mmCIF file of all heavy atoms in Angstrom:
data_model
loop_
_atom_site.group_PDB
_atom_site.id
_atom_site.type_symbol
_atom_site.label_atom_id
_atom_site.label_comp_id
_atom_site.label_asym_id
_atom_site.label_seq_id
_atom_site.Cartn_x
_atom_site.Cartn_y
_atom_site.Cartn_z
ATOM 1 N N VAL A 712 109.423 124.340 128.713
ATOM 2 C CA VAL A 712 109.217 125.477 128.020
ATOM 3 C C VAL A 712 108.874 126.687 128.944
ATOM 4 O O VAL A 712 109.426 127.827 128.859
ATOM 5 C CB VAL A 712 108.164 125.430 127.058
ATOM 6 C CG1 VAL A 712 107.651 126.828 126.467
ATOM 7 C CG2 VAL A 712 108.453 124.522 125.823
ATOM 8 N N GLY A 713 108.102 126.400 130.106
ATOM 9 C CA GLY A 713 107.856 127.355 131.002
ATOM 10 C C GLY A 713 109.126 127.772 131.783
ATOM 11 O O GLY A 713 109.272 129.036 132.119
ATOM 12 N N ILE A 714 110.014 126.941 132.114
ATOM 13 C CA ILE A 714 111.190 127.256 132.856
ATOM 14 C C ILE A 714 112.108 128.071 131.984
ATOM 15 O O ILE A 714 112.753 128.954 132.453
ATOM 16 C CB ILE A 714 111.922 125.899 133.160
ATOM 17 C CG1 ILE A 714 111.135 125.150 134.171
ATOM 18 C CG2 ILE A 714 113.411 126.149 133.676
ATOM 19 C CD1 ILE A 714 111.735 123.743 134.509
ATOM 20 N N LEU A 715 112.074 127.959 130.646
ATOM 21 C CA LEU A 715 112.836 128.804 129.773
ATOM 22 C C LEU A 715 112.327 130.164 129.615
ATOM 23 O O LEU A 715 112.859 131.103 129.046
ATOM 24 C CB LEU A 715 112.909 128.131 128.387
ATOM 25 C CG LEU A 715 113.799 126.804 128.224
ATOM 26 C CD1 LEU A 715 113.643 126.231 126.982
ATOM 27 C CD2 LEU A 715 115.237 127.107 128.626
ATOM 28 N N GLY A 716 111.187 130.477 130.260
ATOM 29 C CA GLY A 716 110.647 131.803 130.180
ATOM 30 C C GLY A 716 109.586 132.055 129.087
ATOM 31 O O GLY A 716 109.234 133.198 128.824
ATOM 32 N N ILE A 717 109.329 131.060 128.302
ATOM 33 C CA ILE A 717 108.439 131.155 127.122
ATOM 34 C C ILE A 717 107.024 131.099 127.709
ATOM 35 O O ILE A 717 106.653 130.086 128.337
ATOM 36 C CB ILE A 717 108.708 130.140 126.049
ATOM 37 C CG1 ILE A 717 110.133 130.359 125.549
ATOM 38 C CG2 ILE A 717 107.684 130.377 124.897
ATOM 39 C CD1 ILE A 717 110.530 129.155 124.592
ATOM 40 N N PRO A 718 106.091 131.964 127.420
ATOM 41 C CA PRO A 718 104.783 131.843 127.841
ATOM 42 C C PRO A 718 104.116 130.566 127.435
ATOM 43 O O PRO A 718 104.059 130.330 126.216
ATOM 44 C CB PRO A 718 104.069 133.085 127.366
ATOM 45 C CG PRO A 718 105.201 134.184 127.054
ATOM 46 C CD PRO A 718 106.334 133.242 126.711
ATOM 47 N N THR A 719 103.515 129.809 128.346
ATOM 48 C CA THR A 719 103.094 128.562 128.021
ATOM 49 C C THR A 719 101.746 128.663 127.073
ATOM 50 O O THR A 719 101.494 127.763 126.262
ATOM 51 C CB THR A 719 102.648 127.774 129.213
ATOM 52 O OG1 THR A 719 101.852 128.435 130.129
ATOM 53 C CG2 THR A 719 103.860 127.224 129.993
ATOM 54 N N ALA A 720 101.022 129.747 127.250
ATOM 55 C CA ALA A 720 99.836 129.915 126.446
ATOM 56 C C ALA A 720 100.213 130.135 125.015
ATOM 57 O O ALA A 720 99.722 129.597 124.169
ATOM 58 C CB ALA A 720 99.024 131.088 127.020
ATOM 59 N N SER A 721 101.310 130.907 124.761
ATOM 60 C CA SER A 721 101.779 131.167 123.509
ATOM 61 C C SER A 721 102.264 129.907 122.970
ATOM 62 O O SER A 721 102.096 129.595 121.666
ATOM 63 C CB SER A 721 102.735 132.286 123.447
ATOM 64 O OG SER A 721 102.310 133.526 123.994
ATOM 65 N N PHE A 722 103.076 129.205 123.704
ATOM 66 C CA PHE A 722 103.667 127.987 123.246
ATOM 67 C C PHE A 722 102.578 126.939 122.919
ATOM 68 O O PHE A 722 102.663 126.283 121.818
ATOM 69 C CB PHE A 722 104.548 127.312 124.376
ATOM 70 C CG PHE A 722 105.142 126.097 123.980
ATOM 71 C CD1 PHE A 722 106.141 125.948 123.096
ATOM 72 C CD2 PHE A 722 104.558 124.885 124.608
ATOM 73 C CE1 PHE A 722 106.670 124.689 122.713
ATOM 74 C CE2 PHE A 722 105.201 123.601 124.187
ATOM 75 C CZ PHE A 722 106.183 123.519 123.277
ATOM 76 N N VAL A 723 101.519 126.824 123.646
ATOM 77 C CA VAL A 723 100.431 125.992 123.340
ATOM 78 C C VAL A 723 99.763 126.312 122.056
ATOM 79 O O VAL A 723 99.407 125.484 121.248
ATOM 80 C CB VAL A 723 99.376 125.839 124.448
ATOM 81 C CG1 VAL A 723 98.133 125.163 124.084
ATOM 82 C CG2 VAL A 723 99.963 125.246 125.667
ATOM 83 N N ALA A 724 99.655 127.623 121.848
ATOM 84 C CA ALA A 724 99.033 128.046 120.575
ATOM 85 C C ALA A 724 99.924 127.815 119.409
ATOM 86 O O ALA A 724 99.397 127.272 118.358
ATOM 87 C CB ALA A 724 98.855 129.616 120.648
ATOM 88 N N ILE A 725 101.158 127.969 119.537
ATOM 89 C CA ILE A 725 102.133 127.629 118.564
ATOM 90 C C ILE A 725 102.146 126.120 118.306
ATOM 91 O O ILE A 725 102.175 125.633 117.125
ATOM 92 C CB ILE A 725 103.599 128.035 118.916
ATOM 93 C CG1 ILE A 725 103.740 129.664 118.882
ATOM 94 C CG2 ILE A 725 104.614 127.501 117.929
ATOM 95 C CD1 ILE A 725 104.961 130.205 119.485
ATOM 96 N N LEU A 726 101.999 125.421 119.367
ATOM 97 C CA LEU A 726 102.023 123.894 119.320
ATOM 98 C C LEU A 726 100.817 123.435 118.548
ATOM 99 O O LEU A 726 100.810 122.507 117.696
ATOM 100 C CB LEU A 726 102.054 123.317 120.767
ATOM 101 C CG LEU A 726 102.369 121.733 120.791
ATOM 102 C CD1 LEU A 726 103.643 121.395 120.179
ATOM 103 C CD2 LEU A 726 102.185 121.287 122.247
ATOM 104 N N GLY A 727 99.654 124.121 118.853
ATOM 105 C CA GLY A 727 98.465 123.820 118.197
ATOM 106 C C GLY A 727 98.485 124.106 116.646
ATOM 107 O O GLY A 727 98.076 123.233 115.834
ATOM 108 N N SER A 728 99.091 125.243 116.204
ATOM 109 C CA SER A 728 99.355 125.542 114.823
ATOM 110 C C SER A 728 100.251 124.571 114.192
ATOM 111 O O SER A 728 100.024 124.136 113.102
ATOM 112 C CB SER A 728 99.854 126.973 114.710
ATOM 113 O OG SER A 728 99.075 127.875 115.301
ATOM 114 N N PHE A 729 101.292 124.174 114.913
ATOM 115 C CA PHE A 729 102.338 123.196 114.397
ATOM 116 C C PHE A 729 101.573 121.881 114.247
ATOM 117 O O PHE A 729 101.778 121.133 113.318
ATOM 118 C CB PHE A 729 103.495 123.090 115.336
ATOM 119 C CG PHE A 729 104.477 122.100 114.939
ATOM 120 C CD1 PHE A 729 105.328 122.240 113.825
ATOM 121 C CD2 PHE A 729 104.473 120.873 115.601
ATOM 122 C CE1 PHE A 729 106.211 121.301 113.444
ATOM 123 C CE2 PHE A 729 105.405 119.865 115.236
ATOM 124 C CZ PHE A 729 106.291 120.099 114.127
ATOM 125 N N GLY A 730 100.743 121.535 115.189
ATOM 126 C CA GLY A 730 99.956 120.213 115.170
ATOM 127 C C GLY A 730 99.057 120.202 113.991
ATOM 128 O O GLY A 730 98.833 119.200 113.271
ATOM 129 N N LEU A 731 98.426 121.388 113.687
ATOM 130 C CA LEU A 731 97.505 121.415 112.489
ATOM 131 C C LEU A 731 98.248 121.161 111.169
ATOM 132 O O LEU A 731 97.909 120.512 110.371
ATOM 133 C CB LEU A 731 96.789 122.777 112.437
ATOM 134 C CG LEU A 731 95.889 122.990 111.352
ATOM 135 C CD1 LEU A 731 94.668 121.979 111.283
ATOM 136 C CD2 LEU A 731 95.332 124.427 111.378
ATOM 137 N N ALA A 732 99.418 121.950 111.165
ATOM 138 C CA ALA A 732 100.344 121.817 109.870
ATOM 139 C C ALA A 732 100.749 120.339 109.818
ATOM 140 O O ALA A 732 100.717 119.847 108.721
ATOM 141 C CB ALA A 732 101.357 122.828 109.991
ATOM 142 N N LEU A 733 101.151 119.768 110.938
ATOM 143 C CA LEU A 733 101.717 118.411 110.886
ATOM 144 C C LEU A 733 100.562 117.488 110.501
ATOM 145 O O LEU A 733 100.840 116.485 109.838
ATOM 146 C CB LEU A 733 102.298 118.076 112.280
ATOM 147 C CG LEU A 733 103.369 116.868 112.361
ATOM 148 C CD1 LEU A 733 104.514 117.219 111.517
ATOM 149 C CD2 LEU A 733 103.646 116.705 113.777
ATOM 150 N N GLY A 734 99.386 117.686 111.048
ATOM 151 C CA GLY A 734 98.277 116.873 110.739
ATOM 152 C C GLY A 734 97.953 116.860 109.228
ATOM 153 O O GLY A 734 97.613 115.835 108.629
ATOM 154 N N LEU A 735 98.093 118.039 108.620
ATOM 155 C CA LEU A 735 97.781 118.088 107.229
ATOM 156 C C LEU A 735 98.886 117.384 106.446
ATOM 157 O O LEU A 735 98.636 116.739 105.339
ATOM 158 C CB LEU A 735 97.709 119.471 106.695
ATOM 159 C CG LEU A 735 96.520 120.292 107.264
ATOM 160 C CD1 LEU A 735 96.680 121.887 106.853
ATOM 161 C CD2 LEU A 735 95.266 119.730 106.710
ATOM 162 N N ALA A 736 100.084 117.404 106.928
ATOM 163 C CA ALA A 736 101.189 116.774 106.306
ATOM 164 C C ALA A 736 101.248 115.296 106.459
ATOM 165 O O ALA A 736 101.659 114.476 105.634
ATOM 166 C CB ALA A 736 102.552 117.306 106.765
ATOM 167 N N PHE A 737 100.646 114.899 107.572
ATOM 168 C CA PHE A 737 100.644 113.401 107.868
ATOM 169 C C PHE A 737 99.145 112.864 108.039
ATOM 170 O O PHE A 737 98.766 112.307 109.022
ATOM 171 C CB PHE A 737 101.391 113.054 109.116
ATOM 172 C CG PHE A 737 102.801 113.310 109.047
ATOM 173 C CD1 PHE A 737 103.338 114.569 109.501
ATOM 174 C CD2 PHE A 737 103.758 112.469 108.490
ATOM 175 C CE1 PHE A 737 104.674 114.852 109.271
ATOM 176 C CE2 PHE A 737 105.101 112.759 108.455
ATOM 177 C CZ PHE A 737 105.557 113.912 108.802
ATOM 178 N N GLN A 738 98.352 113.212 106.906
ATOM 179 C CA GLN A 738 97.017 112.740 106.999
ATOM 180 C C GLN A 738 96.854 111.183 107.171
ATOM 181 O O GLN A 738 95.927 110.702 107.747
ATOM 182 C CB GLN A 738 96.260 113.220 105.780
ATOM 183 C CG GLN A 738 96.049 114.710 105.676
ATOM 184 C CD GLN A 738 95.359 115.119 104.444
ATOM 185 O OE1 GLN A 738 94.369 114.439 103.998
ATOM 186 N NE2 GLN A 738 95.678 116.310 103.967
ATOM 187 N N GLY A 739 97.837 110.499 106.613
ATOM 188 C CA GLY A 739 97.698 109.004 106.622
ATOM 189 C C GLY A 739 97.945 108.499 108.090
ATOM 190 O O GLY A 739 97.269 107.610 108.519
ATOM 191 N N SER A 740 98.799 109.229 108.890
ATOM 192 C CA SER A 740 99.100 108.762 110.193
ATOM 193 C C SER A 740 97.839 109.102 111.087
ATOM 194 O O SER A 740 97.506 108.349 111.979
ATOM 195 C CB SER A 740 100.225 109.539 110.743
ATOM 196 O OG SER A 740 101.520 109.182 110.076
ATOM 197 N N LEU A 741 97.164 110.300 110.806
ATOM 198 C CA LEU A 741 95.979 110.565 111.605
ATOM 199 C C LEU A 741 94.886 109.539 111.248
ATOM 200 O O LEU A 741 94.067 109.123 112.058
ATOM 201 C CB LEU A 741 95.523 111.980 111.202
ATOM 202 C CG LEU A 741 96.397 113.099 111.631
ATOM 203 C CD1 LEU A 741 95.820 114.449 111.215
ATOM 204 C CD2 LEU A 741 96.461 113.006 113.219
ATOM 205 N N SER A 742 94.795 109.072 109.987
ATOM 206 C CA SER A 742 93.832 108.107 109.692
ATOM 207 C C SER A 742 94.100 106.744 110.326
ATOM 208 O O SER A 742 93.232 106.042 110.706
ATOM 209 C CB SER A 742 93.975 107.837 108.092
ATOM 210 O OG SER A 742 93.166 106.694 107.626
ATOM 211 N N ASN A 743 95.429 106.505 110.539
ATOM 212 C CA ASN A 743 95.804 105.311 111.247
ATOM 213 C C ASN A 743 95.462 105.359 112.759
ATOM 214 O O ASN A 743 95.024 104.369 113.299
ATOM 215 C CB ASN A 743 97.337 104.919 111.124
ATOM 216 C CG ASN A 743 97.729 104.579 109.769
ATOM 217 O OD1 ASN A 743 96.901 104.037 108.953
ATOM 218 N ND2 ASN A 743 99.055 104.863 109.357
ATOM 219 N N LEU A 744 95.640 106.613 113.303
ATOM 220 C CA LEU A 744 95.266 106.852 114.687
ATOM 221 C C LEU A 744 93.702 106.730 114.783
ATOM 222 O O LEU A 744 93.261 106.016 115.845
ATOM 223 C CB LEU A 744 95.662 108.257 115.106
ATOM 224 C CG LEU A 744 95.258 108.706 116.426
ATOM 225 C CD1 LEU A 744 95.846 107.845 117.559
ATOM 226 C CD2 LEU A 744 95.664 110.205 116.725
ATOM 227 N N ALA A 745 92.928 107.330 113.915
ATOM 228 C CA ALA A 745 91.569 107.042 114.019
ATOM 229 C C ALA A 745 91.154 105.583 113.855
ATOM 230 O O ALA A 745 90.112 105.180 114.540
ATOM 231 C CB ALA A 745 90.839 107.968 113.011
ATOM 232 N N GLY A 746 91.839 104.974 112.902
ATOM 233 C CA GLY A 746 91.539 103.525 112.720
ATOM 234 C C GLY A 746 91.917 102.718 114.027
ATOM 235 O O GLY A 746 91.181 101.801 114.270
ATOM 236 N N GLY A 747 92.966 103.091 114.741
ATOM 237 C CA GLY A 747 93.308 102.355 115.912
ATOM 238 C C GLY A 747 92.144 102.583 116.940
ATOM 239 O O GLY A 747 91.766 101.545 117.678
ATOM 240 N N VAL A 748 91.719 103.791 117.118
ATOM 241 C CA VAL A 748 90.662 104.076 118.042
ATOM 242 C C VAL A 748 89.365 103.282 117.733
ATOM 243 O O VAL A 748 88.657 102.671 118.531
ATOM 244 C CB VAL A 748 90.313 105.609 118.078
ATOM 245 C CG1 VAL A 748 89.073 105.800 119.021
ATOM 246 C CG2 VAL A 748 91.384 106.324 118.659
ATOM 247 N N LEU A 749 88.956 103.255 116.356
ATOM 248 C CA LEU A 749 87.865 102.507 115.865
ATOM 249 C C LEU A 749 87.924 101.037 116.142
ATOM 250 O O LEU A 749 87.037 100.428 116.546
ATOM 251 C CB LEU A 749 87.743 102.782 114.422
ATOM 252 C CG LEU A 749 86.508 102.181 113.718
ATOM 253 C CD1 LEU A 749 85.248 102.773 114.343
ATOM 254 C CD2 LEU A 749 86.533 102.400 112.238
ATOM 255 N N LEU A 750 89.166 100.475 115.963
ATOM 256 C CA LEU A 750 89.353 99.025 116.200
ATOM 257 C C LEU A 750 89.208 98.705 117.663
ATOM 258 O O LEU A 750 88.617 97.576 118.049
ATOM 259 C CB LEU A 750 90.701 98.595 115.659
ATOM 260 C CG LEU A 750 90.887 98.574 114.144
ATOM 261 C CD1 LEU A 750 92.457 98.291 113.773
ATOM 262 C CD2 LEU A 750 90.122 97.665 113.449
ATOM 263 N N LEU A 751 89.731 99.587 118.476
ATOM 264 C CA LEU A 751 89.561 99.328 119.911
ATOM 265 C C LEU A 751 88.262 99.529 120.520
ATOM 266 O O LEU A 751 87.803 98.890 121.423
ATOM 267 C CB LEU A 751 90.546 100.159 120.752
ATOM 268 C CG LEU A 751 92.071 99.769 120.422
ATOM 269 C CD1 LEU A 751 93.019 100.917 121.101
ATOM 270 C CD2 LEU A 751 92.301 98.425 121.249
ATOM 271 N N THR A 752 87.405 100.402 119.788
ATOM 272 C CA THR A 752 86.010 100.590 120.114
ATOM 273 C C THR A 752 85.115 99.573 119.612
ATOM 274 O O THR A 752 84.320 98.990 120.441
ATOM 275 C CB THR A 752 85.573 102.078 119.596
ATOM 276 O OG1 THR A 752 86.502 103.087 120.055
ATOM 277 C CG2 THR A 752 84.214 102.301 120.124
ATOM 278 N N MET A 753 85.176 99.216 118.374
ATOM 279 C CA MET A 753 84.291 98.153 117.788
ATOM 280 C C MET A 753 84.756 96.805 118.087
ATOM 281 O O MET A 753 83.947 95.861 118.183
ATOM 282 C CB MET A 753 84.278 98.431 116.280
ATOM 283 C CG MET A 753 83.779 99.808 115.734
ATOM 284 S SD MET A 753 82.201 100.285 116.533
ATOM 285 C CE MET A 753 81.126 99.080 115.805
ATOM 286 N N ARG A 754 86.051 96.572 118.242
ATOM 287 C CA ARG A 754 86.648 95.320 118.667
ATOM 288 C C ARG A 754 86.297 94.135 117.756
ATOM 289 O O ARG A 754 85.677 93.205 118.261
ATOM 290 C CB ARG A 754 86.244 94.980 120.082
ATOM 291 C CG ARG A 754 86.755 96.063 121.108
ATOM 292 C CD ARG A 754 86.514 95.621 122.540
ATOM 293 N NE ARG A 754 87.258 94.428 122.878
ATOM 294 C CZ ARG A 754 87.202 93.766 124.034
ATOM 295 N NH1 ARG A 754 86.284 94.134 124.963
ATOM 296 N NH2 ARG A 754 87.836 92.722 124.274
#
Side-chain angles (χ1 to χ4, degrees):
V712 168
I714 292 174
L715 290 173
I717 301 174
T719 53
S721 301
F722 176 74
V723 170
I725 294 172
L726 192 63
S728 301
F729 177 73
L731 177 60
L733 200 62
L735 293 174
F737 295 96
Q738 294 182 31
S740 296
L741 291 178
S742 173
N743 293 333
L744 175 61
V748 173
L749 184 63
L750 291 174
L751 289 170
T752 303
M753 303 304 295
R754 298 185 65 184

